[in-house]
């Protein structure tokens, strides 16, 4: 299917909020790194220690961070950035203030002020897409992406809250073909979505098997 990009280099982002299990937070961060996420937005999650500073007191003690050990050095070196917020609204405002693509920051506009204002208003924004079973959800196999996207997962037991759903620009669902539960582990679902987005952003054609 055609791959329509509103920006030249679509990027994936991940919003982590309302996740109950510490291991799932760890898994989400690792999976994000595996599929090209370089910025993760965290809302709340107060019980999870995101600290990556050295806790050395001369005895080479290791960090007490809950982050995966393999990720800590990369975060320290700037390969991944974790930005924390107290409120979801603050996170959304920050995301919507970011340029959709890295190339937007590199462009030099030699136009008058009125044209600049018009251009800024028409620039694509980073989309916030919830991964949730909802009547409005679009099948992931249809690749309903247009530009850089921040994906937000639901809680392991309750799914997305009304507040989470209210800030989303749309929703995707993951097709299942067996007779088991309709729910996937949150980190498994994130991996499937980010994998699909990665191939879409590169313009790859992903072949989906058809049932007979």
């Amino acid at each position: 299917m055609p791959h329509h990009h509103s920006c030249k280099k679509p990027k994936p982002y991940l919003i982590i909020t309302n996740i109950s299990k510490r291991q799932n937070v760890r898994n989400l961060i690792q999976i994000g790194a595996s599929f090209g996420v370089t910025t993760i937005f965290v809302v709340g999650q107060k019980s999870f220690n995101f600290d990556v500073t050295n806790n050395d007191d001369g005895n080479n003690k290791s960090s007490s961070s809950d982050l995966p050990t393999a990720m800590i050095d990369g975060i320290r070196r700037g390969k991944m950035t974790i930005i924390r917020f107290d409120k979801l609204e603050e996170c959304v405002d920050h995301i919507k203030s970011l340029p959709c693509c890295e190339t937007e920051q590199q462009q030099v506009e030699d136009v008058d002020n009125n044209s600049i204002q018009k251009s800024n208003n028409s620039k694509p924004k980073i989309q916030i897409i919830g991964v949730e079973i909802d009547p409005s959800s679009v099948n992931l196999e249809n690749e309903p992406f247009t530009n850089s996207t921040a994906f937000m997962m639901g809680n392991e037991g309750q799914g997305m809250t009304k507040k989470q759903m209210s800030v989303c620009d749309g929703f995707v669902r993951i097709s299942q073909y067996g007779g088991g539960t309709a729910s996937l582990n949150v980190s498994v679902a994130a991996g499937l979505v980010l994998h699909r987005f990665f191939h879409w952003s590169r313009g790859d054609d992903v072949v989906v098997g058809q049932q007979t």
Side-chain angles (χ1 to χ4, degrees), residues 166-183:
S166 71
V167 302
C168 291
D169 297 302
F171 303 94
V172 294
R173 66 177 184 274
I174 300 169
S175 295
Q176 297 184 48
Y177 304 103
T181 176
S183 177

Side-chain angles (χ1 to χ4, degrees), residues 1-5 143 197-206:
M1 63 186 305
H3 300 78
H4 300 295
H5 299 175
E143 298 180 341
F197 182 89
F198 172 79
H199 284 290
W200 168 83
S201 67
R202 298 201 316 174
D204 297 340
D205 289 321
V206 180

Side-chain angles (χ1 to χ4, degrees), residues 151-166:
F151 294 101
M152 181 160 52
M153 314 303 297
N155 175 267
E156 298 96 324
Q158 305 300 320
M160 301 188 77
T161 65
K162 290 183 179 180
K163 177 179 284 189
Q164 284 178 282
M165 295 183 72
S166 71

Side-chain angles (χ1 to χ4, degrees), residues 7-157:
C7 56
K8 293 182 179 179
K9 295 181 179 180
K11 294 178 60 177
Y13 298 86
L14 195 59
I15 302 172
I16 298 179
T17 186
N18 195 32
I19 301 299
S20 299
K21 297 180 180 180
R22 183 177 283 105
Q23 186 59 47
N24 282 336
V25 176
R26 290 167 56 90
N27 290 344
L28 284 169
I29 294 168
Q30 287 183 304
I31 286 170
S34 297
F35 293 108
V37 175
T38 57
T39 302
I40 292 178
F41 307 108
V42 176
V43 181
Q45 304 293 155
K46 299 296 185 181
S47 65
F48 193 94
N49 185 355
F50 289 90
D51 184 28
V52 296
T53 58
N54 287 310
N55 289 339
D56 293 344
D57 59 2
N59 296 319
N60 294 322
K61 291 184 178 179
S62 61
S63 171
S64 61
S65 175
D66 289 323
L67 289 163
T69 303
M71 298 294 305
I72 292 176
D73 186 57
I75 294 171
R76 286 173 179 164
R77 291 188 294 166
K79 290 186 175 182
M80 173 179 281
T81 302
I82 296 177
I83 305 176
R84 303 194 64 183
F85 301 89
D86 290 326
K87 297 180 179 179
L88 183 59
E89 294 86 349
E90 297 170 349
C91 177
V92 172
D93 288 344
H94 177 75
I95 291 171
K96 294 300 183 180
S97 72
L98 297 174
C100 181
C101 306
E102 293 178 354
T103 52
E104 290 182 23
Q105 296 174 309
Q106 301 167 358
Q107 292 174 346
V108 178
E109 298 177 289
D110 185 17
V111 291
D112 58 65
N113 290 334
N114 290 333
S115 297
I116 292 175
Q117 182 64 40
K118 182 177 180 181
S119 174
N120 287 338
N121 288 338
S122 62
K123 285 182 179 178
K125 300 288 186 181
I126 296 173
Q127 299 293 291
I128 298 177
I129 298 297
V131 182
E132 180 70 13
I133 300 173
D134 182 79
S136 64
S137 298
V138 179
N139 195 318
L140 178 63
E141 294 170 3
N142 293 333
E143 298 180 341
F145 316 121
T146 57
N147 46 267
S148 295
T149 302
F151 294 101
M152 181 160 52
M153 314 303 297
N155 175 267
E156 298 96 324

